[in-house]
Amino acid sequence: MPEDTLTITDNRTGISCTVPVKNGAIRAMDLRQLKTSPDDFGMVTYDPAFMNTASCESRITFIDGDKGILQYRGYPIDQLAENCTYLEVAYLVLHGELPTESQLHGWTQEVAGQTAVPEGIERILQGFRQDAHPMSVLASLVAALSTFYPEAKNVHDSAVRRVQILRLLGQLPTLAAYTYRHSLGLPLVPPDASLTYPENFLSMLWKKSEPYFQANPVLARALDVLFILHADHEQNCSTNAMRSIGSSLADPYMTMAGAIAALSGPLHGGANEEVLKMLDVIGSTDHIPAYVQKVKSGECKLMGFGHRVYKNYDPRARIIKRIAEQVFEVTGRNPKLDIALALEKIALEDEYFVKRKLYPNVDFYSGIIYQAMGFQPDIFTVLFAIGRNAGWLAQWQELLTDPAQKIARPRQVFLGHARRDFVPIGQRGA
Ligand code: SDX
């Protein structure tokens, strides 16, 4: 029997079949040969939340959850965070290789040339209340970009795709900053192509009446590294949304609006905002034991803890803790860090968390840094989206260029009523 195969015996029929094993996986379609009768549809797999189902073959990001390893295109995340700019990492995840100096210069210039948003966007923005959640506004504005770039529907044209990728890398920070300024009732600050990617974003956020915004270099670098840490994370919930919507050949703006919607959920990217709310509820380190007891009794989750893949410390959380100290040297220490550190210590020693392999994830410390930098909690997930932009686009592009992919359409296990006839309303039971 060939080595890379799996033999399965269907005990309902006594029939065995042998299917190939490739890269540690079997093709689910190979199971369809297991039938109980000639007209049986055949065996399907039932896997709610895709706990053990690969939806694609990918070459972008590798995670080893047990060892706490994260690599983009083979490069360890800590080396990229230490040595690259976000746009350099965006180039890497999108093209598969780190750029040469001239490639990076050209790439950076091209993105800088795409930071202005279509004029109609500002009028759409004015239609939102100031207290509208920034993630809802961002998803709406990204979807609205679809109306300004109808050619983006030609998703199989690589040249068209490339222009939309540059537009989204350039314009997402602008849309995010405009959303933030609108929420504060402040005039919009247009992008400044002479600034670096993080400096331009900070300028659009914080510039007042001064002629030229001077970003603090430590904060600008910290923000760029946070974007790197959030750039991609294989098949997470929002990337799955990006791929699923993209598989219908929707344009990248409508597709990314869906990914932003998925990211907004409190179990996903919305967790960084929830962590700050949780730390506010806890209030002080002496209240931690009582809160942990509530978590262990199932009353609430410890936000920023746990992960579907990482059953070890999220490598990004480790790096973020290091960035926090650098930021606090500029901004002053966020007292919430003391609560977070004490909470982490207690949780990591508690059997409930140890048994379930619950560790701090990327969202546990990021919000504390964002708050110290002056961001309001409701924009934290928008910052996550700016980083994940490159990963969503790389995964979308990989989907469209993968000949094995087609429109996503999962099966189901039907447990509903068998066929029955209509009942006139007068004859229906209570
Ligand atoms: C992100 O997928 C990605 O890559 C995501 C992400 C990315 O970069 O894209 O890394 C970004 O989304 C990070 C996760 C941010 N979310 C949170 O911090 C929210 C809090 N965490 C949990 O909701 C949870 O840990 C998830 C959603 C992150 C993962 O959930 P799973 O894998 O579905 O695990 P589970 O809910 O089945 O939990 C297993 C057990 C359960 O207990 P039992 O039923 O076995 O008794 O662990 C418990 C859970 O109740 N548990 C928690 C917990 N997380 C899991 N208990 C308390 N607090 C938690 N945070």
Side-chain angles (χ1 to χ4, degrees):
M1 188 66 79
E3 228 174 62
D4 288 345
T5 60
L6 181 73
T7 299
I8 305 164
T9 299
D10 185 344
N11 294 317
R12 300 173 300 175
T13 60
I15 296 170
S16 290
C17 71
T18 297
V19 299
V21 176
K22 181 186 168 199
N23 301 317
I26 62 168
R27 295 183 66 90
M29 283 301 285
D30 288 344
L31 299 176
R32 287 278 295 281
Q33 57 189 296
L34 292 170
K35 294 171 180 280
T36 54
S37 66
D39 60 353
D40 179 18
F41 181 79
M43 179 76 67
V44 298
T45 56
Y46 170 54
D47 188 13
F50 311 126
M51 297 285 282
N52 190 43
T53 294
S55 62
C56 62
E57 291 179 337
S58 181
R59 292 170 176 78
I60 299 170
T61 292
F62 173 73
I63 300 175
D64 182 321
D66 291 330
K67 299 193 182 95
I69 289 171
L70 170 59
Q71 295 165 357
Y72 296 156
R73 300 286 188 177
Y75 294 99
I77 189 67
D78 54 325
Q79 292 183 22
L80 296 173
E82 182 69 30
N83 299 294
C84 294
T85 65
Y86 172 71
L87 286 184
E88 195 172 357
V89 169
Y91 185 100
L92 170 66
V93 295
L94 279 156
H95 298 85
E97 296 298 336
L98 286 167
T100 61
E101 195 159 357
S102 65
Q103 286 170 333
L104 180 57
H105 177 73
W107 175 250
T108 302
Q109 291 298 101
E110 284 191 281
V111 173
Q114 294 284 0
T115 51
V117 298
E119 196 165 314
I121 286 287
E122 292 185 31
R123 284 196 298 280
I124 297 169
L125 179 64
Q126 296 312 322
F128 289 101
R129 294 179 6 178
Q130 280 186 222
D131 65 353
H133 196 286
M135 281 297 278
S136 303
V137 176
L138 187 69
S140 308
L141 296 181
V142 169
L145 287 178
S146 168
T147 67
F148 295 95
Y149 305 121
E151 76 281 8
K153 289 179 174 50
N154 302 317
V155 297
H156 284 308
D157 181 327
S158 59
V160 169
R161 279 203 307 268
R162 187 171 190 282
V163 171
Q164 315 321 314
I165 287 171
L166 288 166
R167 280 172 171 159
L168 276 163
L169 286 172
Q171 294 185 33
L172 200 65
T174 308
L175 295 177
Y178 282 12
T179 299
Y180 186 71
R181 299 281 291 200
H182 173 72
S183 73
L184 300 176
L186 295 173
L188 304 182
V189 175
D192 179 344
S194 70
L195 298 173
T196 66
Y197 199 74
E199 288 170 343
N200 173 48
F201 181 54
L202 291 172
S203 168
M204 293 188 289
L205 285 168
W206 306 139
K207 187 173 179 294
K208 295 185 176 61
S209 55
E210 70 276 28
Y212 184 76
F213 177 80
Q214 187 64 48
N216 179 297
V218 172
L219 301 187
R221 177 60 191 156
L223 199 55
D224 215 38
V225 173
L226 284 160
F227 290 157
I228 290 171
L229 296 177
H230 288 82
D232 192 56
H233 214 238
E234 58 145 273
Q235 304 311 313
N236 59 85
C237 178
S238 54
T239 297
N240 182 57
M242 187 84 187
R243 280 180 168 263
S244 180
I245 300 167
S247 74
S248 74
L249 307 188
D251 74 60
Y253 305 103
M254 296 289 274
T255 300
M256 188 174 287
I260 293 169
L263 187 72
S264 70
L267 294 188
H268 191 12
N272 54 20
E273 179 181 350
E274 295 302 318
V275 168
L276 260 292
K277 289 180 190 167
M278 176 182 73
L279 295 175
D280 280 338
V281 166
I282 293 173
S284 69
T285 50
D286 51 14
H287 296 159
I288 290 175
Y291 192 85
V292 168
Q293 202 44 50
K294 279 175 66 176
V295 171
K296 289 161 65 175
S297 65
E299 264 184 75
C300 57
K301 290 209 181 291
L302 193 57
M303 301 313 280
F305 257 70
H307 201 277
R308 174 62 55 77
V309 177
Y310 289 124
K311 300 310 171 191
N312 199 321
Y313 213 98
D314 184 331
R316 301 169 296 177
R318 209 184 298 280
I319 298 168
I320 288 175
K321 271 172 87 172
R322 282 206 303 270
I323 297 171
E325 294 307 339
Q326 296 161 13
V327 168
F328 295 156
E329 278 172 24
V330 173
T331 64
R333 188 177 177 78
N334 186 335
K336 294 203 175 64
L337 180 65
D338 298 323
I339 301 176
L341 289 169
L343 184 54
E344 175 189 339
K345 186 174 182 310
I346 291 173
L348 293 185
E349 291 164 359
D350 187 298
E351 178 52 23
Y352 175 93
F353 299 93
V354 172
K355 188 174 86 169
R356 293 167 176 81
K357 297 185 179 179
L358 302 178
Y359 291 86
N361 59 49
V362 68
D363 291 312
F364 189 63
Y365 287 105
S366 54
I368 295 168
I369 298 180
Y370 293 145
Q371 187 179 51
M373 293 172 84
F375 292 106
Q376 298 300 318
D378 66 359
I379 198 171
F380 290 175
T381 312
V382 170
L383 302 174
F384 191 145
I386 292 174
R388 189 53 53 89
N389 190 9
W392 284 333
L393 290 167
Q395 298 274 353
W396 169 72
Q397 181 161 257
E398 189 175 63
L399 162 93
L400 291 171
T401 53
D402 180 348
Q405 290 293 342
K406 50 173 59 179
I407 187 168
R409 202 261 184 242
R411 312 302 309 205
Q412 64 173 16
V413 173
F414 181 71
L415 300 178
H417 282 284
R419 186 196 177 287
R420 52 182 174 164
D421 289 326
F422 175 77
V423 179
I425 192 161
Q427 298 167 28
R428 292 172 199 165

PDB file of all heavy atoms in Angstrom, residues 94-112:
ATOM      1  N   LEU A  94       2.682  40.447  -0.220  1.00  0.00           N
ATOM      2  CA  LEU A  94       1.987  40.511  -1.512  1.00  0.00           C
ATOM      3  C   LEU A  94       2.801  39.909  -2.651  1.00  0.00           C
ATOM      4  O   LEU A  94       2.245  39.304  -3.570  1.00  0.00           O
ATOM      5  CB  LEU A  94       1.627  41.961  -1.844  1.00  0.00           C
ATOM      6  CG  LEU A  94       0.357  42.479  -1.163  1.00  0.00           C
ATOM      7  CD1 LEU A  94       0.372  43.998  -1.034  1.00  0.00           C
ATOM      8  CD2 LEU A  94      -0.889  42.016  -1.935  1.00  0.00           C
ATOM      9  N   HIS A  95       4.126  40.068  -2.595  1.00  0.00           N
ATOM     10  CA  HIS A  95       4.949  39.603  -3.725  1.00  0.00           C
ATOM     11  C   HIS A  95       5.711  38.322  -3.422  1.00  0.00           C
ATOM     12  O   HIS A  95       6.261  37.697  -4.321  1.00  0.00           O
ATOM     13  CB  HIS A  95       5.945  40.701  -4.132  1.00  0.00           C
ATOM     14  CG  HIS A  95       5.287  41.966  -4.617  1.00  0.00           C
ATOM     15  ND1 HIS A  95       4.873  42.958  -3.747  1.00  0.00           N
ATOM     16  CD2 HIS A  95       4.945  42.390  -5.852  1.00  0.00           C
ATOM     17  CE1 HIS A  95       4.318  43.940  -4.441  1.00  0.00           C
ATOM     18  NE2 HIS A  95       4.347  43.626  -5.718  1.00  0.00           N
ATOM     19  N   GLY A  96       5.834  37.990  -2.127  1.00  0.00           N
ATOM     20  CA  GLY A  96       6.513  36.731  -1.768  1.00  0.00           C
ATOM     21  C   GLY A  96       7.982  36.889  -1.447  1.00  0.00           C
ATOM     22  O   GLY A  96       8.598  35.985  -0.895  1.00  0.00           O
ATOM     23  N   GLU A  97       8.561  38.031  -1.748  1.00  0.00           N
ATOM     24  CA  GLU A  97       9.978  38.291  -1.450  1.00  0.00           C
ATOM     25  C   GLU A  97      10.150  39.687  -0.848  1.00  0.00           C
ATOM     26  O   GLU A  97       9.366  40.604  -1.166  1.00  0.00           O
ATOM     27  CB  GLU A  97      10.825  38.202  -2.738  1.00  0.00           C
ATOM     28  CG  GLU A  97      10.850  36.820  -3.398  1.00  0.00           C
ATOM     29  CD  GLU A  97      11.462  35.724  -2.519  1.00  0.00           C
ATOM     30  OE1 GLU A  97      12.263  36.069  -1.614  1.00  0.00           O
ATOM     31  OE2 GLU A  97      11.096  34.553  -2.707  1.00  0.00           O
ATOM     32  N   LEU A  98      11.181  39.858  -0.031  1.00  0.00           N
ATOM     33  CA  LEU A  98      11.496  41.205   0.462  1.00  0.00           C
ATOM     34  C   LEU A  98      11.955  42.050  -0.725  1.00  0.00           C
ATOM     35  O   LEU A  98      12.638  41.558  -1.617  1.00  0.00           O
ATOM     36  CB  LEU A  98      12.607  41.119   1.517  1.00  0.00           C
ATOM     37  CG  LEU A  98      12.194  40.574   2.892  1.00  0.00           C
ATOM     38  CD1 LEU A  98      13.428  40.234   3.724  1.00  0.00           C
ATOM     39  CD2 LEU A  98      11.303  41.585   3.622  1.00  0.00           C
ATOM     40  N   PRO A  99      11.586  43.327  -0.773  1.00  0.00           N
ATOM     41  CA  PRO A  99      11.936  44.172  -1.920  1.00  0.00           C
ATOM     42  C   PRO A  99      13.405  44.597  -1.871  1.00  0.00           C
ATOM     43  O   PRO A  99      13.991  44.720  -0.789  1.00  0.00           O
ATOM     44  CB  PRO A  99      11.022  45.385  -1.753  1.00  0.00           C
ATOM     45  CG  PRO A  99      10.788  45.473  -0.274  1.00  0.00           C
ATOM     46  CD  PRO A  99      10.762  44.049   0.215  1.00  0.00           C
ATOM     47  N   THR A 100      13.973  44.813  -3.058  1.00  0.00           N
ATOM     48  CA  THR A 100      15.303  45.451  -3.098  1.00  0.00           C
ATOM     49  C   THR A 100      15.098  46.925  -2.721  1.00  0.00           C
ATOM     50  O   THR A 100      13.960  47.398  -2.612  1.00  0.00           O
ATOM     51  CB  THR A 100      15.877  45.396  -4.521  1.00  0.00           C
ATOM     52  OG1 THR A 100      14.960  46.128  -5.382  1.00  0.00           O
ATOM     53  CG2 THR A 100      16.008  43.952  -4.999  1.00  0.00           C
ATOM     54  N   GLU A 101      16.191  47.632  -2.565  1.00  0.00           N
ATOM     55  CA  GLU A 101      16.086  49.045  -2.176  1.00  0.00           C
ATOM     56  C   GLU A 101      15.290  49.832  -3.225  1.00  0.00           C
ATOM     57  O   GLU A 101      14.384  50.606  -2.894  1.00  0.00           O
ATOM     58  CB  GLU A 101      17.487  49.647  -2.020  1.00  0.00           C
ATOM     59  CG  GLU A 101      17.488  50.966  -1.275  1.00  0.00           C
ATOM     60  CD  GLU A 101      18.858  51.292  -0.676  1.00  0.00           C
ATOM     61  OE1 GLU A 101      19.780  50.449  -0.800  1.00  0.00           O
ATOM     62  OE2 GLU A 101      18.994  52.370  -0.094  1.00  0.00           O
ATOM     63  N   SER A 102      15.587  49.571  -4.508  1.00  0.00           N
ATOM     64  CA  SER A 102      14.873  50.345  -5.551  1.00  0.00           C
ATOM     65  C   SER A 102      13.411  49.907  -5.626  1.00  0.00           C
ATOM     66  O   SER A 102      12.500  50.726  -5.808  1.00  0.00           O
ATOM     67  CB  SER A 102      15.558  50.153  -6.917  1.00  0.00           C
ATOM     68  OG  SER A 102      15.444  48.813  -7.326  1.00  0.00           O
ATOM     69  N   GLN A 103      13.160  48.607  -5.426  1.00  0.00           N
ATOM     70  CA  GLN A 103      11.755  48.144  -5.444  1.00  0.00           C
ATOM     71  C   GLN A 103      10.978  48.794  -4.287  1.00  0.00           C
ATOM     72  O   GLN A 103       9.847  49.240  -4.450  1.00  0.00           O
ATOM     73  CB  GLN A 103      11.698  46.624  -5.307  1.00  0.00           C
ATOM     74  CG  GLN A 103      12.112  45.862  -6.560  1.00  0.00           C
ATOM     75  CD  GLN A 103      12.279  44.375  -6.306  1.00  0.00           C
ATOM     76  OE1 GLN A 103      12.588  43.928  -5.187  1.00  0.00           O
ATOM     77  NE2 GLN A 103      12.071  43.578  -7.336  1.00  0.00           N
ATOM     78  N   LEU A 104      11.609  48.850  -3.108  1.00  0.00           N
ATOM     79  CA  LEU A 104      10.922  49.438  -1.952  1.00  0.00           C
ATOM     80  C   LEU A 104      10.674  50.928  -2.160  1.00  0.00           C
ATOM     81  O   LEU A 104       9.593  51.437  -1.869  1.00  0.00           O
ATOM     82  CB  LEU A 104      11.734  49.214  -0.671  1.00  0.00           C
ATOM     83  CG  LEU A 104      11.114  49.785   0.612  1.00  0.00           C
ATOM     84  CD1 LEU A 104       9.718  49.228   0.865  1.00  0.00           C
ATOM     85  CD2 LEU A 104      12.019  49.499   1.823  1.00  0.00           C
ATOM     86  N   HIS A 105      11.657  51.594  -2.757  1.00  0.00           N
ATOM     87  CA  HIS A 105      11.482  53.030  -3.006  1.00  0.00           C
ATOM     88  C   HIS A 105      10.311  53.256  -3.960  1.00  0.00           C
ATOM     89  O   HIS A 105       9.426  54.073  -3.698  1.00  0.00           O
ATOM     90  CB  HIS A 105      12.761  53.622  -3.594  1.00  0.00           C
ATOM     91  CG  HIS A 105      12.641  55.080  -3.943  1.00  0.00           C
ATOM     92  ND1 HIS A 105      12.598  56.076  -2.977  1.00  0.00           N
ATOM     93  CD2 HIS A 105      12.490  55.704  -5.153  1.00  0.00           C
ATOM     94  CE1 HIS A 105      12.446  57.255  -3.566  1.00  0.00           C
ATOM     95  NE2 HIS A 105      12.380  57.052  -4.895  1.00  0.00           N
ATOM     96  N   GLY A 106      10.303  52.492  -5.055  1.00  0.00           N
ATOM     97  CA  GLY A 106       9.208  52.649  -6.030  1.00  0.00           C
ATOM     98  C   GLY A 106       7.864  52.302  -5.419  1.00  0.00           C
ATOM     99  O   GLY A 106       6.874  53.010  -5.604  1.00  0.00           O
ATOM    100  N   TRP A 107       7.846  51.216  -4.638  1.00  0.00           N
ATOM    101  CA  TRP A 107       6.592  50.764  -3.997  1.00  0.00           C
ATOM    102  C   TRP A 107       6.064  51.833  -3.035  1.00  0.00           C
ATOM    103  O   TRP A 107       4.896  52.197  -3.055  1.00  0.00           O
ATOM    104  CB  TRP A 107       6.881  49.466  -3.269  1.00  0.00           C
ATOM    105  CG  TRP A 107       5.830  48.850  -2.436  1.00  0.00           C
ATOM    106  CD1 TRP A 107       5.809  48.769  -1.078  1.00  0.00           C
ATOM    107  CD2 TRP A 107       4.648  48.166  -2.891  1.00  0.00           C
ATOM    108  NE1 TRP A 107       4.689  48.095  -0.662  1.00  0.00           N
ATOM    109  CE2 TRP A 107       3.962  47.703  -1.745  1.00  0.00           C
ATOM    110  CE3 TRP A 107       4.098  47.909  -4.153  1.00  0.00           C
ATOM    111  CZ2 TRP A 107       2.766  46.996  -1.826  1.00  0.00           C
ATOM    112  CZ3 TRP A 107       2.901  47.191  -4.227  1.00  0.00           C
ATOM    113  CH2 TRP A 107       2.249  46.746  -3.080  1.00  0.00           C
ATOM    114  N   THR A 108       6.977  52.362  -2.228  1.00  0.00           N
ATOM    115  CA  THR A 108       6.586  53.380  -1.247  1.00  0.00           C
ATOM    116  C   THR A 108       6.042  54.620  -1.949  1.00  0.00           C
ATOM    117  O   THR A 108       5.023  55.189  -1.542  1.00  0.00           O
ATOM    118  CB  THR A 108       7.797  53.741  -0.366  1.00  0.00           C
ATOM    119  OG1 THR A 108       8.272  52.547   0.267  1.00  0.00           O
ATOM    120  CG2 THR A 108       7.447  54.775   0.688  1.00  0.00           C
ATOM    121  N   GLN A 109       6.683  54.993  -3.047  1.00  0.00           N
ATOM    122  CA  GLN A 109       6.219  56.156  -3.818  1.00  0.00           C
ATOM    123  C   GLN A 109       4.839  55.902  -4.430  1.00  0.00           C
ATOM    124  O   GLN A 109       3.960  56.757  -4.418  1.00  0.00           O
ATOM    125  CB  GLN A 109       7.224  56.471  -4.938  1.00  0.00           C
ATOM    126  CG  GLN A 109       8.551  56.990  -4.446  1.00  0.00           C
ATOM    127  CD  GLN A 109       8.406  58.317  -3.681  1.00  0.00           C
ATOM    128  OE1 GLN A 109       8.423  58.329  -2.448  1.00  0.00           O
ATOM    129  NE2 GLN A 109       8.159  59.381  -4.400  1.00  0.00           N
ATOM    130  N   GLU A 110       4.659  54.677  -4.951  1.00  0.00           N
ATOM    131  CA  GLU A 110       3.357  54.356  -5.583  1.00  0.00           C
ATOM    132  C   GLU A 110       2.232  54.405  -4.554  1.00  0.00           C
ATOM    133  O   GLU A 110       1.162  54.947  -4.807  1.00  0.00           O
ATOM    134  CB  GLU A 110       3.417  52.962  -6.215  1.00  0.00           C
ATOM    135  CG  GLU A 110       4.176  52.898  -7.531  1.00  0.00           C
ATOM    136  CD  GLU A 110       3.969  51.552  -8.223  1.00  0.00           C
ATOM    137  OE1 GLU A 110       4.625  50.571  -7.804  1.00  0.00           O
ATOM    138  OE2 GLU A 110       3.152  51.496  -9.151  1.00  0.00           O
ATOM    139  N   VAL A 111       2.491  53.859  -3.353  1.00  0.00           N
ATOM    140  CA  VAL A 111       1.453  53.888  -2.317  1.00  0.00           C
ATOM    141  C   VAL A 111       1.189  55.334  -1.891  1.00  0.00           C
ATOM    142  O   VAL A 111       0.040  55.759  -1.764  1.00  0.00           O
ATOM    143  CB  VAL A 111       1.865  53.027  -1.098  1.00  0.00           C
ATOM    144  CG1 VAL A 111       0.860  53.200   0.050  1.00  0.00           C
ATOM    145  CG2 VAL A 111       1.960  51.554  -1.492  1.00  0.00           C
ATOM    146  N   ALA A 112       2.269  56.099  -1.739  1.00  0.00           N
ATOM    147  CA  ALA A 112       2.112  57.502  -1.326  1.00  0.00           C
ATOM    148  C   ALA A 112       1.290  58.285  -2.346  1.00  0.00           C
ATOM    149  O   ALA A 112       0.554  59.212  -1.996  1.00  0.00           O
ATOM    150  CB  ALA A 112       3.476  58.154  -1.158  1.00  0.00           C
TER     151      ALA A 112
END
